Amino acid sequence: MERQASGILWGDICYSTDKDTLITRENACLVWEDGKIAGVYDRLPEQFRAYPVEDCRGKLIIPGLVDLHIHAPQHPFRGLKMDLPLLPWLNTNAFPEEAKYQDPDYARKAYEIFAADMKKSGTTRACIFASLHLPATKILMELLEEAGLETYVGKVNMDRNCPDYLREGEDAPAVTEAWLEETAGRFSHVKPILTPRFIPACSDSLMEALGNIQKKWKLPVQSHLSENPDEIALVQALHPQSRFYGEAYDRFGLFGGDTPTIMAHCVHCPPEELEMMKERGVYIAHCPQSNTNLCSGASPVRQLLEAGLQVGLGSDIAGGASLSIFRAMTDAIHTSKLRAALLDRSLAPLTLEEAFFLGTLGGGRFFGKVGSFQEGFEADVLVLDESKIPHPQPLTLRERLERYVYLAGDDWITKKYVKGRCVC
Amino acid sequence: MERQASGILWGDICYSTDKDTLITRENACLVWEDGKIAGVYDRLPEQFRAYPVEDCRGKLIIPGLVDLHIHAPQHPFRGLKMDLPLLPWLNTNAFPEEAKYQDPDYARKAYEIFAADMKKSGTTRACIFASLHLPATKILMELLEEAGLETYVGKVNMDRNCPDYLREGEDAPAVTEAWLEETAGRFSHVKPILTPRFIPACSDSLMEALGNIQKKWKLPVQSHLSENPDEIALVQALHPQSRFYGEAYDRFGLFGGDTPTIMAHCVHCPPEELEMMKERGVYIAHCPQSNTNLCSGASPVRQLLEAGLQVGLGSDIAGGASLSIFRAMTDAIHTSKLRAALLDRSLAPLTLEEAFFLGTLGGGRFFGKVGSFQEGFEADVLVLDESKIPHPQPLTLRERLERYVYLAGDDWITKKYVKGRCVC
């Protein structure tokens, strides 16, 4: 497939400009130059006539989707063993599976399937947890580079409250720096992200060392926060001096501010924690299906958005079973509705506009100007295949988008561009 | 495709015998004679050697799925307009759409898509609401007959609390009998079912007449029950003499006992209502996605099962967006988990075994010996396509089933048999 940094797509175009505003442009053209959006036009302006044109008239065209939280080594057991809450689920399911990535052959076999699934999905950007293993993490980065998505990948750090067979030793900081050195400058599309698993699995001395590595390498950070009541109680016991879970990260300089940070889940954050996240610009990866599968609860996601926090969506494979961020959008609406129906009917649930925003621009902002078709945004673009959902009557563009989001199969993507390059 | 009343399938076989018991038989053969299951064997018994054999080794083979509640005329707007609770949703979305079926040309166009989608889905049995229109209902029955599924179809009755353009007059009982007379004996696979829309939409005189039609024609009955708090309050206002919603049906002989009856939803049934349903053998069509989409609530489905009620699953298109009963299984688990997480963590959520039972044998019992591979059951069989979910390691049969249920696309069906006939 031709790789192109500039191009033109004709079709039916939808994108968000903020959480409440969905722009729909029927039979319009989307133009990008040097990988960045030039604009959306009803007629092609003269100055772009030289760019290659793809005629997708009649098809939906939207920004690429953003997955702010996914565990690559858990991909083989998505949809399996869904009968435990978080902490026993980690010990019984996640840790034994992740231990297999000690073996680079297994890692390659499993990560090839993962990278292929990511490539054919609607996701163009992702923040990815690997396992703690250095060789396997490098294999993952190589395969994702080939797939062409723009990703952050983190070698996981963990040295307590985890089984011996999946626990780092005192050399954890040195191994982490070796990983950064060995991969530095090797990839165009894959970048490293510092990844302490979560406070329960990281000793203070490890966190301190990671804080120093962050400062030295200016890395972004991803971890987990306030997912489950038992986890929160465990953090309180481990860090009695912290007023709330997030403060335990903050002590080590790993909670936003100058450190671009994503915290997954944030289902049960107390008000002071949310206040600090807002001040520090910490991103929330809302993972509705995982929160349901692991009985963690239902995030007050609409209230978080209204409070001005930065929120995107995560598939959280394999707490979540589905890789699809379209599915995450409807899961977010569903859990928001059940939260309203079961806890407080005065809470208005998430709208389609808000859910679509979360899966595109909401998460995209973590990557910069990503997730919209406004001028200057990076040209991550999907052309959607609606052929499996014929309908007997004319639909508006907004209706077609809603219907697609609710019904889309995992591979109903006709074309996918990342930074203007066609990747499939 | 050859139609066969007797046959043999080799493969990896899973089926329920009760809500807690999932039988898994690797590399076994399923044999049916004259449309009924003869047995599951590790080696093919001599007496069946003459039957046609289909070699599906390595593939999953399960009973056909049962959809106890679906509105055919709402199929075009599935996944659309999900932003209202039940009563305004009916007025704003469902009724205007159903009114279009006054036009037989529109009905044919829309029902052709519906029948094609049902055919390629995993559903082999369904209880279907049409609209109130006689010609359109006949078209639907013809198309479903061609699709080869075993279905009950109901011309809807409704004469109050609905717009003038979608309201029956005093001739409603006569039109209903005309429908029964005109379709009697015309179909092998499609049977009529009496379908008062729900108490709010049916006057006492209409209900009385339907009670008489039921007795005369010995028809089964389908309707809606205790779906939404506002609906329940409306029924209470309309029937102040009834202790609970179900008693309003019971006054007219339309609530189980000698009348095989399915009530959709049953999210908010008081104990006396459940008691009467259990006594009378009334079936519950649990429709988890619809209950979430319309903010109706989360049924205590596991407690209903444990109390010995008859429960199956419904897609409830278009309150539900997905036609897939696999999806309904996981939606049932999800809503059950959120109910536990948000209301009472002591309630154990629905298991995979229970959800699989609900979508096969639980609903299948309404049709007789349907939904299992025990001897004498009708041979409704699916061969599943797992090719889109490759995995790097061996999985047990139970794991493959769980994974498929969570991840299945709408059309991942390799073969489908109804009463031993291959329909696709």
Side-chain angles (χ1 to χ4, degrees):
Chain A
M1 203 85 47
E2 190 194 3
R3 295 196 156 208
Q4 56 200 30
S6 301
I8 296 161
L9 273 172
W10 277 98
D12 298 328
I13 296 171
C14 301
Y15 60 99
S16 298
T17 52
D18 59 51
K19 75 182 174 62
D20 302 310
T21 311
L22 180 73
I23 308 289
T24 60
R25 299 279 296 270
E26 213 150 348
N27 197 19
C29 67
L30 175 71
V31 180
W32 64 91
E33 287 189 290
D34 296 331
K36 296 211 163 108
I37 301 295
V40 177
Y41 307 95
D42 291 325
R43 288 165 176 232
L44 182 63
E46 199 56 44
Q47 72 261 37
F48 305 128
R49 297 245 172 236
Y51 296 160
V53 177
E54 189 83 39
D55 184 354
C56 296
R57 270 176 284 206
K59 291 196 159 66
L60 277 175
I61 298 175
I62 65 167
L65 307 184
V66 179
D67 190 340
L68 283 188
H69 186 63
I70 176 165
H71 292 262
Q74 296 179 12
H75 185 250
F77 76 97
R78 70 198 188 286
L80 283 177
K81 304 174 183 175
M82 288 300 191
D83 50 357
L84 290 170
L86 178 65
L87 299 179
W89 178 87
L90 281 170
N91 283 305
T92 312
N93 302 331
F95 292 156
E97 177 64 30
E98 288 193 22
K100 296 179 187 165
Y101 292 76
Q102 172 68 30
D103 172 8
D105 290 339
Y106 181 82
R108 182 168 298 280
K109 200 166 150 189
Y111 282 153
E112 276 175 355
I113 297 172
F114 172 74
D117 277 4
M118 288 293 277
K119 184 169 175 167
K120 75 181 180 202
S121 76
T123 300
T124 51
R125 309 258 167 172
C127 296
I128 304 172
F129 279 56
S131 65
L132 60 77
H133 311 98
L134 176 45
T137 302
K138 283 162 57 184
I139 290 169
L140 174 62
M141 293 170 88
E142 286 160 16
L143 291 166
L144 286 167
E145 176 78 4
E146 286 167 29
L149 280 65
E150 295 287 322
T151 57
Y152 285 108
V153 171
K155 189 202 96 59
V156 167
N157 290 111
M158 52 198 289
D159 71 346
R160 68 173 176 186
N161 288 315
C162 46
D164 289 342
Y165 61 76
L166 195 72
R167 181 194 299 248
E168 293 184 293
E170 287 182 5
D171 62 346
V175 175
T176 303
E177 289 217 76
W179 163 61
L180 293 169
E181 280 154 13
E182 288 178 32
T183 55
R186 273 190 58 194
F187 305 112
S188 307
H189 310 304
V190 186
K191 298 192 185 81
I193 183 167
L194 206 62
T195 306
R197 183 162 206 125
F198 65 157
I199 292 289
C202 298
S203 68
D204 286 7
S205 61
L206 176 57
M207 289 298 281
E208 205 163 323
L210 295 179
N212 292 332
I213 291 174
Q214 193 283 324
K215 279 183 200 69
K216 178 175 167 191
W217 290 79
K218 307 283 178 226
L219 294 177
V221 172
Q222 61 181 355
S223 195
H224 299 87
L225 184 72
S226 297
E227 176 176 1
N228 167 292
D230 294 339
E231 170 212 22
I232 294 168
L234 180 54
V235 171
Q236 202 156 40
L238 292 165
H239 282 258
Q241 73 283 35
S242 294
R243 288 173 303 151
F244 47 82
Y245 192 160
E247 214 170 61
Y249 291 107
D250 191 54
R251 287 180 55 208
F252 306 102
L254 300 173
F255 202 62
D258 293 338
T259 311
T261 300
I262 300 172
M263 287 288 155
H265 306 303
C266 306
V267 178
H268 304 281
C269 295
E272 322 85 75
E273 189 163 72
L274 292 175
E275 197 50 50
M276 185 180 274
M277 294 174 81
K278 190 176 169 183
E279 273 170 38
R280 307 291 183 80
V282 173
Y283 277 73
I284 295 171
H286 174 46
C287 307
Q289 192 181 116
S290 169
N291 299 155
T292 300
N293 279 326
L294 302 184
C295 286
S296 301
S299 158
V301 58
R302 189 157 202 252
Q303 288 68 50
L304 301 179
L305 269 180
E306 285 182 348
L309 284 131
Q310 300 284 1
V311 192
L313 295 175
S315 64
D316 193 25
I317 296 291
S322 170
L323 200 70
S324 165
I325 295 297
F326 292 117
R327 175 67 187 261
M329 294 178 193
T330 56
D331 286 336
I333 295 173
H334 283 157
T335 56
S336 166
K337 284 184 171 177
L338 278 182
R339 195 172 193 281
L342 299 184
L343 293 186
D344 181 353
R345 284 195 178 264
S346 75
L347 298 174
L350 212 60
T351 64
L352 177 78
E353 277 73 7
E354 288 165 338
F356 185 74
F357 163 83
L358 287 174
T360 55
L361 182 55
R365 285 175 176 161
F366 185 78
F367 290 82
K369 286 186 141 185
V370 168
S372 181
F373 290 153
Q374 296 164 88
E375 194 186 333
F377 271 61
E378 301 198 48
D380 292 4
V381 189
L382 303 178
V383 182
L384 306 181
D385 176 8
E386 296 164 276
S387 66
K388 291 195 180 168
I389 39 175
H391 45 87
Q393 59 198 343
L395 295 172
T396 68
L397 205 36
R398 198 266 185 203
E399 286 173 330
R400 282 167 59 198
L401 180 70
E402 181 178 12
R403 206 160 159 271
Y404 187 94
V405 168
Y406 273 92
L407 300 175
D410 285 348
D411 54 358
W412 295 7
I413 305 290
T414 300
K415 276 188 176 291
K416 176 166 162 177
Y417 297 80
V418 184
K419 281 189 174 177
R421 292 171 290 109
C422 185
V423 299
C424 67
Chain B
M1 202 87 46
E2 191 194 2
R3 296 196 156 209
Q4 56 200 29
S6 301
I8 297 161
L9 274 173
W10 276 99
D12 298 329
I13 297 171
C14 301
Y15 60 99
S16 299
T17 53
D18 58 53
K19 73 181 175 64
D20 302 311
T21 313
L22 179 73
I23 307 289
T24 60
R25 298 281 295 272
E26 213 150 348
N27 198 17
C29 66
L30 174 72
V31 180
W32 62 92
E33 287 190 290
D34 297 330
K36 296 209 163 109
I37 301 295
V40 177
Y41 307 94
D42 292 325
R43 289 167 176 229
L44 182 65
E46 199 56 45
Q47 73 262 36
F48 305 128
R49 298 246 171 233
Y51 296 160
V53 178
E54 189 84 37
D55 184 354
C56 297
R57 270 177 284 206
K59 291 195 158 65
L60 278 175
I61 297 175
I62 65 167
L65 307 184
V66 179
D67 189 340
L68 282 189
H69 186 63
I70 178 166
H71 292 264
Q74 296 178 12
H75 186 249
F77 75 97
R78 71 199 188 286
L80 282 177
K81 303 175 184 174
M82 287 300 191
D83 50 357
L84 290 170
L86 178 65
L87 299 180
W89 179 86
L90 282 170
N91 283 305
T92 310
N93 303 332
F95 292 158
E97 178 64 30
E98 289 192 22
K100 296 178 187 165
Y101 292 76
Q102 171 68 29
D103 171 9
D105 290 339
Y106 180 83
R108 181 169 299 279
K109 200 166 149 189
Y111 282 153
E112 275 174 356
I113 298 172
F114 172 74
D117 276 4
M118 288 292 278
K119 184 168 176 168
K120 74 182 181 204
S121 77
T123 300
T124 51
R125 309 258 168 172
C127 297
I128 302 172
F129 278 56
S131 64
L132 60 77
H133 312 98
L134 176 45
T137 302
K138 283 161 59 183
I139 291 169
L140 175 62
M141 294 171 88
E142 285 161 16
L143 290 167
L144 287 166
E145 176 78 5
E146 285 167 28
L149 281 65
E150 296 285 322
T151 57
Y152 285 108
V153 171
K155 189 201 98 56
V156 167
N157 291 111
M158 55 199 286
D159 71 346
R160 68 174 175 185
N161 288 316
C162 46
D164 288 342
Y165 62 76
L166 195 72
R167 180 196 298 250
E168 293 185 294
E170 286 184 5
D171 63 345
V175 175
T176 303
E177 288 218 75
W179 163 61
L180 294 168
E181 279 154 15
E182 288 177 30
T183 55
R186 275 190 55 194
F187 305 112
S188 306
H189 310 304
V190 187
K191 298 194 185 80
I193 183 167
L194 205 62
T195 306
R197 182 161 209 128
F198 67 157
I199 291 290
C202 299
S203 68
D204 285 8
S205 62
L206 176 58
M207 289 297 282
E208 205 163 321
L210 295 178
N212 291 332
I213 291 174
Q214 192 285 322
K215 279 182 201 72
K216 178 174 166 191
W217 290 79
K218 308 281 175 225
L219 296 176
V221 171
Q222 62 182 354
S223 195
H224 298 87
L225 183 73
S226 297
E227 176 176 0
N228 166 292
D230 293 338
E231 171 213 22
I232 294 168
L234 179 55
V235 171
Q236 203 155 39
L238 292 165
H239 282 258
Q241 73 284 35
S242 294
R243 287 175 303 152
F244 47 82
Y245 192 161
E247 214 171 61
Y249 291 107
D250 191 53
R251 287 181 55 208
F252 306 103
L254 300 174
F255 202 61
D258 293 338
T259 311
T261 300
I262 300 172
M263 288 286 155
H265 306 303
C266 306
V267 177
H268 304 281
C269 296
E272 321 86 75
E273 190 164 72
L274 293 174
E275 198 49 51
M276 185 182 273
M277 293 174 81
K278 189 176 170 186
E279 274 173 36
R280 306 291 182 79
V282 173
Y283 277 72
I284 295 170
H286 174 45
C287 306
Q289 193 183 116
S290 169
N291 299 156
T292 300
N293 279 325
L294 302 184
C295 286
S296 301
S299 159
V301 57
R302 189 159 202 252
Q303 288 68 49
L304 300 179
L305 270 178
E306 284 182 350
L309 283 131
Q310 300 284 0
V311 192
L313 294 176
S315 64
D316 193 25
I317 298 290
S322 171
L323 201 71
S324 164
I325 295 297
F326 292 118
R327 174 69 187 261
M329 293 177 192
T330 56
D331 286 335
I333 295 173
H334 283 157
T335 57
S336 165
K337 284 184 169 175
L338 278 182
R339 195 172 194 280
L342 300 184
L343 293 187
D344 181 354
R345 285 194 177 266
S346 74
L347 298 174
L350 212 61
T351 65
L352 177 79
E353 278 72 7
E354 289 165 337
F356 185 74
F357 163 84
L358 286 174
T360 54
L361 183 55
R365 285 174 176 161
F366 185 78
F367 291 82
K369 287 185 140 185
V370 168
S372 180
F373 290 153
Q374 296 165 88
E375 193 185 334
F377 272 61
E378 302 198 47
D380 292 4
V381 189
L382 303 178
V383 182
L384 306 182
D385 175 10
E386 295 164 275
S387 66
K388 292 197 179 166
I389 40 174
H391 46 86
Q393 58 198 342
L395 295 172
T396 68
L397 205 36
R398 198 266 187 204
E399 287 174 328
R400 284 168 57 199
L401 180 70
E402 181 178 12
R403 206 160 159 274
Y404 186 93
V405 167
Y406 273 92
L407 300 175
D410 285 349
D411 53 359
W412 295 7
I413 305 292
T414 300
K415 276 187 177 291
K416 177 166 161 177
Y417 297 80
V418 184
K419 281 190 175 178
R421 292 170 290 112
C422 184
V423 298
C424 66

